Amino acid sequence: QVQLVASGGGVVKAGGSLRLSCAASGRTFSNYAMGWFRQAPGKEREFVAGLSWSDANPLYADSVKGRFTISRDNAKNTVYLQMNSLKPEDTAVYYCNVVTSSDYDRPLGSWGQGTQVTVSS
């Protein structure tokens, strides 16, 4: 079973940028669509962005569209989330997961270690 660990989070001021990485160990995820999710305190986990196995057809939640960019490097078994123009409402723990090719908001794997992103006003 593939193990996914998100990293790269931190504390940033509003308007700043961060790049998150999702590293996989075990089985490669090169043949799978991948997605980013986040969970803020007191709220449900929500879909952020998804990408097909062929690095095509990216999909974004309306709340991050135009600010976040998802990408992947299958040779390195790594998925990235470039976050620009960060807002305080982006504060959350961010997770990555394998998702279905036809529906990016449907996770297929177990939830691994997330990374905390905190955006100050």
Side-chain angles (χ1 to χ4, degrees), residues 3 10 21-22 26 43-44 46 53 57 61 69 71 76 80 83 91-92 94 105-106 109:
Q3 300 293 319
S21 298
C22 176
K43 297 184 178 181
E44 297 293 321
E46 65 176 350
W53 68 268
N57 303 315
T69 302
S71 62
K76 297 180 179 179
Y80 304 97
M83 306 185 296
T91 296
Y94 285 71
D105 67 346
R106 292 185 178 181

Side-chain angles (χ1 to χ4, degrees), residues 21-84:
S21 298
C22 176
S25 61
R27 232 175 70 168
T28 178
F29 58 65
S30 61
N31 293 328
Y32 299 90
M34 298 296 298
W36 283 95
F37 300 78
R38 67 186 182 186
Q39 187 169 24
K43 297 184 178 181
E44 297 293 321
R45 199 192 323 265
E46 65 176 350
F47 170 78
V48 175
L51 188 67
S52 71
W53 68 268
S54 61
D55 204 9
N57 303 315
L59 182 67
Y60 301 93
D62 289 340
S63 59
V64 306
K65 194 174 299 181
R67 300 187 298 118
F68 291 10
T69 302
I70 185 172
S71 62
R72 66 192 300 163
D73 187 338
N74 289 338
K76 297 180 179 179
N77 254 7
T78 303
V79 179
Y80 304 97
L81 185 67
Q82 178 66 47
M83 306 185 296
N84 298 325

Side-chain angles (χ1 to χ4, degrees), residues 7-8 11 14 23 29 34 40 56-58 72 78 80 92 96 107-110 113 117:
S7 62
V11 180
F29 58 65
M34 298 296 298
N57 303 315
R72 66 192 300 163
T78 303
Y80 304 97
C96 61
L108 294 176
S110 299
Q113 181 178 334
V117 172

